[in-house]
Amino acid sequence: MNFDLRFNNIKAAVPLQTQDISYLNNALIRPIVAYMNANRPRLPIKCQLKLDLSNFDGSWTIYDSCLVDSLSEEVGKAFAQLVQDERERNRRLKRIGLWSLQSVTKSLISLFEYARGTRSFWHFMGLTGLYDHPIRS
């Protein structure tokens, strides 16, 4: 089964100390809750669930077939994947921003040196070895 869930306008909170959640799970759930609160207008969750048909034999409700337990586990994994993807996207954007800033800075320094006359036009264009020396006749 493929599930496409859309959470609109949600707000989540985790208590500081609770007996229901272990210390490790409490630490792992905090980034997910922060992501949910930061993206409140809409959270799309896509997950895939595979169950044997034998789970549905004789079951009267979705709780009897273990569908709810499996679905909650997959939705939790999908939330964790969303948080990880967001962190990776932010890291890539920072790298690209730094690279573009370095590139622009190098170009501005090169342009400034060309304007001051310390380097020739061909240095500015990146053709340093071609036209450095005047033609001798």
Side-chain angles (χ1 to χ4, degrees), residues 2 9-11 13 16 22 32 34 37 39-40 42 47 49 51 60 79 93 100 103 106-108 110 126:
N2 291 324
N9 228 3
I10 61 172
K11 185 175 180 180
L16 290 175
S22 69
I32 295 172
N37 289 334
N39 297 305
R40 283 187 63 186
R42 185 174 179 203
C47 59
L49 184 63
L51 287 175
W60 285 64
F79 266 125
L93 283 175
S100 62
S103 178
K106 282 181 183 179
S107 296
L108 286 175
S110 181

Side-chain angles (χ1 to χ4, degrees), residues 7-37:
F7 295 101
N8 294 322
N9 228 3
I10 61 172
K11 185 175 180 180
V14 178
L16 290 175
Q17 297 290 331
T18 181
Q19 297 293 331
D20 299 329
I21 302 173
S22 69
Y23 180 74
L24 181 63
N25 286 339
N26 197 358
L28 292 175
I29 197 73
R30 293 208 176 272
I32 295 172
V33 169
Y35 180 80
M36 290 168 67
N37 289 334

Side-chain angles (χ1 to χ4, degrees), residues 106-116 124:
K106 282 181 183 179
S107 296
L108 286 175
I109 289 172
S110 181
L111 180 63
F112 180 70
E113 288 176 348
Y114 168 67
R116 281 186 35 203
F124 175 69

